[in-house]
Amino acid sequence: MFTGIIEEQGEVIAWDPSTDAARITVRAPKCVSDAGHGDSIAVSGVCLTVVDQGEDWFTADVMAQTIAMSTLTNPRPGERVNLERAAPVHGRLGGHIVQGHIDGTSELLSVTPGDAWRVLRFSLSPELAPLVVDKGSIAVDGVSLTVSAVGDDWFEVSLIPETLSATTLGMRAVGDRVNIETDILARHVQRMLRLQSPANAGTTERSES
């Protein structure tokens, strides 16, 4: 479990694809400072498991479903990624409950600059639109954000200077794709409403990354 408060920007060192998966190696001195084998680290919003590590890097496996659903398709060495270690039970919930199981990707549609802030507008798919509400929580590339405006097929977030400098969102340009995770509470409500509908009785759902 994560909170969407990014601890550091990591750097992709290597991406080693195989037939139906890949291994990613990321330079992350802060996140590996107390990490161990099997620990969880969110990489731009995607929960990954440490399988190997060194003094300032870690390696994790990325399964085919995650590659298909996320921006972790073929990251180049040197690419920056947002990193967060799993939240300790005794820690503060500075952002919101983030699972690291993304719903898919969105495209950056526009960037509106301000004196001390920046508004980013992203695309919103029809299946995710019911889960995104004004002033609700959403994770974009693993960053816990508040929805500042929403339409039928788009949503906006307003970023302060700290977020722009501490995360990769400050480097995003129109056309870039980002990982999206909607609020887990909204997903539970949607699931309960679906099960209460007689027309959807007996349907099944698959797990997402």
Side-chain angles (χ1 to χ4, degrees):
M1 196 71 68
F2 308 91
T3 70
I5 304 300
I6 302 305
E7 297 185 276
E8 67 175 324
Q9 289 187 40
E11 178 185 351
V12 176
I13 299 174
W15 175 261
D16 301 309
S18 59
T19 303
D20 61 350
R23 279 199 163 188
I24 187 172
T25 301
V26 179
R27 181 171 288 111
K30 183 173 184 178
C31 285
V32 300
S33 62
D34 63 350
H37 186 89
D39 283 355
S40 296
I41 297 178
V43 179
S44 289
V46 179
C47 178
L48 298 179
T49 300
V50 175
V51 297
D52 194 9
Q53 66 187 100
E55 184 177 345
D56 66 348
W57 57 269
F58 73 92
T59 296
D61 290 316
V62 187
M63 63 182 180
Q65 184 183 10
T66 301
I67 295 172
M69 289 191 60
S70 75
T71 59
L72 294 180
T73 55
N74 188 22
R76 301 178 303 276
E79 185 172 329
R80 308 292 291 182
V81 290
N82 295 322
L83 299 176
E84 180 190 357
R85 290 169 290 187
V89 175
H90 64 276
R92 290 186 174 92
L93 184 60
H96 71 282
I97 297 174
V98 178
Q99 294 185 299
H101 302 158
I102 66 166
D103 295 301
T105 63
S106 291
E107 179 184 351
L108 180 55
L109 301 177
S110 66
V111 178
T112 304
D115 292 336
W117 47 269
R118 196 176 300 170
V119 175
L120 275 58
R121 176 176 287 196
F122 293 97
S123 63
L124 185 59
S125 62
E127 61 269 22
L128 296 185
L131 304 176
V132 180
V133 298
D134 187 32
K135 303 301 184 291
S137 297
I138 193 166
V140 179
D141 271 352
V143 184
S144 173
L145 297 170
T146 299
V147 177
S148 55
V150 63
D152 291 340
D153 58 0
W154 58 267
F155 73 93
E156 290 181 348
V157 291
S158 300
L159 307 183
I160 61 175
E162 172 64 18
T163 304
L164 292 171
S165 62
T167 76
T168 60
L169 295 181
M171 300 180 287
R172 292 302 182 192
V174 172
D176 286 351
R177 299 202 70 82
V178 295
N179 297 318
I180 297 296
E181 181 184 333
T182 56
D183 191 347
I184 182 60
L185 298 179
R187 283 187 277 173
H188 274 299
V189 171
Q190 183 187 61
R191 169 70 170 167
M192 288 187 293
L193 291 174
R194 181 179 296 130
L195 288 177
Q196 290 174 0
S197 172
N200 292 314
T203 60
T204 58
E205 297 178 0
R206 67 184 179 86
S207 173
E208 304 291 3
S209 294

